[in-house]
Amino acid sequence: GDMRHKFTDRVDDLMSSSASPMQHRGQPQSAPISTDGSSESVTEEKRPKKKNCCDWKVATLFLFSVALSLILTGVFLPAEGIIIAYLPKFDAPANPYTGPEAGSDADKKSSLPGTTGNDVAVGLPPSPAGEDSSIGKEVPNFMQCPTDASLCCNGSPLNCGLRVDQMMFGLVHNANASEEGNFYVGYNHFYGLERALVAGYRALNLDVCNCNGVLQFCHNVCDLGERYPNEVFTNINKFLDEYPSEVIVLIFQASTDKGGILWNDLHAEMSAVGGFVDKIYVHKYGEEWPSMETLVRQDKRIVVFYFNGGTCDDCASLGINYLYNYAEETEFESSSLADLENFEYSCAVTRGPQENALEADFLIVNNFITPPSSDASRTANSKDFLSNRLTNCANLRGKRPNFVYVDFWSEGVTAQLVQYANTEAANKISSATT
């Protein structure tokens, strides 16, 4: 049915419940006193001559304090935490540069030899989604199912005929780390993951941290912003209940800053949310992936992967799959738009199945730079830049991308382009079988 539901009305309430920003305290001020300790004022004639305040005793005390501070900082805030804590936040320029060097004319740039897009093409939507102040609060037109109660999958009846490994998903990188969610430094998004779901993104990457025995979704380092699993899983489950046509992929990344991750503990957090684990699809390694229609009809609409370490007892039976048994991933350490446009570098596979394993079912294309940049994401997520990149990576890898990893999901037209690409794929497969 119509995908306008009350979930969207609750997004602001969900995010506003997070902790408020830290308050800054002023420095205490000391009143001057006379040299003999009394409160009487000292006349100019009686005032003693100035002495150097920094004698050897004071200097020794100062150096000892500095050394102690450095030691304590190293203990309680590791080096990685120091770097992240002091990453500068740059405001977007009032008039951002949009010339060729910024990537706005990516469609005019020449492709690599043999990568013209004729082999595995990713098409363009007929028009960009455009700026919308209601982004993430209202379901966009391109994700709305028909109102006649016909079968619909991820915003379109055409998607139902595609297998999971034939679909393309907009993947929100470090989805837990948003400015709206009170991640103060190094955040990857302006708005929370709940709004990303409403806006059409159907895959979420979440950093899992063991913070002194408590599981959190943090950003590599504890205590610099967090979301709690119960809240996140509750919100995802509510979204799925209110949008019964939608399938979501969750990709969990272990962060071991404070301790190891036992994935069974995260599964226990899922089990605490009524109805959540019942929706998890359990896949058997080596078997063909089901169609989107099958997942929707069986209400197995959560697909789960993990990577970057951690341990698990009988994960396969729980539906928690090791990502690189099934997927290969392009370079994830790009530091500029120029790196992303260097396709031989940025489309190279850096992680995936072992040599003696089955071929990867999915191709993950990273489309973000490090450290996170909203300006760069505005270009990287644009229609021309993203289509050009996906087409070239598809041709170099000989495989259609399945996941498009992005920062600042609210910038650009990624969700619309992904839906359009799925429509093209469904039409192509349909015409080939008729």
Side-chain angles (χ1 to χ4, degrees), residues 58-179:
V58 175
T60 302
L61 180 61
F62 172 78
L63 292 174
F64 175 79
S65 300
V66 171
L68 181 61
S69 298
L70 290 173
I71 292 171
L72 292 176
T73 299
V75 171
F76 294 107
L77 188 61
E80 183 183 15
I82 297 172
I83 295 171
I84 294 177
Y86 290 98
L87 278 176
K89 177 183 175 182
F90 297 101
D91 294 326
N95 298 296
Y97 179 64
T98 57
E101 292 84 356
S104 60
D105 290 337
D107 57 324
K108 299 178 183 178
K109 297 183 179 181
S110 60
S111 301
L112 293 174
T115 60
T116 59
N118 294 327
D119 301 321
V120 187
V122 178
L124 300 175
S127 61
E131 294 185 3
D132 188 352
S133 60
S134 64
I135 188 168
K137 295 184 178 180
E138 295 180 6
V139 176
N141 291 332
F142 60 85
M143 289 299 295
Q144 291 184 22
C145 289
T147 58
D148 60 2
S150 59
L151 187 67
C152 183
C153 304
N154 281 23
S156 171
L158 292 173
N159 291 336
C160 295
L162 296 174
R163 297 193 313 269
V164 177
D165 57 324
Q166 294 173 324
M167 283 284 291
M168 187 182 293
F169 297 86
L171 174 55
V172 183
H173 179 224
N174 293 340
N176 47 283
S178 71
E179 184 181 34

Side-chain angles (χ1 to χ4, degrees), residues 260-317:
I261 303 296
L262 179 63
W263 295 110
N264 301 81
D265 291 342
L266 189 67
H267 187 267
E269 294 277 3
M270 299 176 188
S271 301
V273 177
F276 190 95
V277 296
D278 294 333
K279 295 183 179 72
I280 295 177
Y281 166 68
V282 178
H283 184 72
K284 292 184 179 179
Y285 182 69
E287 291 190 356
E288 185 176 77
W289 286 88
S291 67
M292 295 289 286
E293 176 180 355
T294 299
L295 294 185
V296 170
R297 289 192 183 279
Q298 295 180 358
D299 196 21
K300 296 295 182 181
R301 297 181 292 121
I302 302 175
V303 180
V304 180
F305 296 101
Y306 75 93
F307 73 101
N308 210 39
T311 57
C312 191
D313 296 329
D314 198 19
C315 260
S317 67

Side-chain angles (χ1 to χ4, degrees), residues 152-408:
C152 183
C153 304
N154 281 23
S156 171
L158 292 173
N159 291 336
C160 295
L162 296 174
R163 297 193 313 269
V164 177
D165 57 324
Q166 294 173 324
M167 283 284 291
M168 187 182 293
F169 297 86
L171 174 55
V172 183
H173 179 224
N174 293 340
N176 47 283
S178 71
E179 184 181 34
E180 184 178 48
N182 293 330
F183 281 72
Y184 304 111
V185 291
Y187 51 81
N188 297 80
H189 308 279
F190 292 129
Y191 306 115
L193 59 89
E194 290 84 358
R195 291 177 68 169
L197 292 174
V198 175
Y201 290 85
R202 293 294 175 264
L204 304 175
N205 161 235
L206 296 160
D207 278 357
V208 184
C209 303
N210 181 347
C211 297
N212 299 317
V214 178
L215 288 186
Q216 298 177 1
F217 297 133
C218 76
H219 192 188
N220 300 322
V221 179
C222 296
D223 305 321
L224 291 178
E226 69 281 326
R227 295 289 305 273
Y228 287 95
N230 184 270
E231 176 199 23
V232 170
F233 293 149
T234 297
N235 294 344
I236 291 173
N237 194 55
K238 182 170 181 60
F239 174 86
L240 290 171
D241 286 343
E242 296 190 0
Y243 299 110
S245 59
E246 304 308 288
V247 175
I248 291 176
V249 179
L250 300 178
I251 300 180
F252 297 109
Q253 176 179 347
S255 179
T256 56
D257 177 60
K258 295 293 185 182
I261 303 296
L262 179 63
W263 295 110
N264 301 81
D265 291 342
L266 189 67
H267 187 267
E269 294 277 3
M270 299 176 188
S271 301
V273 177
F276 190 95
V277 296
D278 294 333
K279 295 183 179 72
I280 295 177
Y281 166 68
V282 178
H283 184 72
K284 292 184 179 179
Y285 182 69
E287 291 190 356
E288 185 176 77
W289 286 88
S291 67
M292 295 289 286
E293 176 180 355
T294 299
L295 294 185
V296 170
R297 289 192 183 279
Q298 295 180 358
D299 196 21
K300 296 295 182 181
R301 297 181 292 121
I302 302 175
V303 180
V304 180
F305 296 101
Y306 75 93
F307 73 101
N308 210 39
T311 57
C312 191
D313 296 329
D314 198 19
C315 260
S317 67
L318 302 176
I320 303 177
N321 310 289
Y322 178 59
L323 180 63
Y324 299 120
N325 281 345
Y326 298 95
E328 59 183 16
E329 180 182 351
T330 65
E331 176 62 59
F332 60 91
E333 291 185 325
S334 295
S335 60
S336 67
L337 291 171
D339 281 350
L340 292 178
E341 290 188 293
N342 179 354
F343 302 122
E344 289 184 334
Y345 167 77
S346 66
C347 295
V349 168
T350 58
R351 296 186 284 193
Q354 297 180 358
E355 290 184 7
N356 59 348
L358 296 176
E359 184 180 346
D361 297 323
F362 303 98
L363 173 61
I364 301 172
V365 174
N366 290 306
N367 193 53
F368 57 85
I369 70 169
T370 303
S373 166
S374 59
D375 285 344
S377 295
R378 191 172 299 115
T379 297
N381 301 343
S382 68
K383 180 177 71 172
D384 296 329
F385 188 101
L386 183 55
S387 178
N388 191 45
R389 173 161 170 71
L390 293 178
T391 298
N392 278 279
C393 286
N395 283 302
L396 284 169
R397 303 270 61 85
K399 185 177 181 62
R400 184 173 177 269
N402 299 100
F403 294 98
V404 187
Y405 241 134
V406 299
D407 278 344
F408 294 96

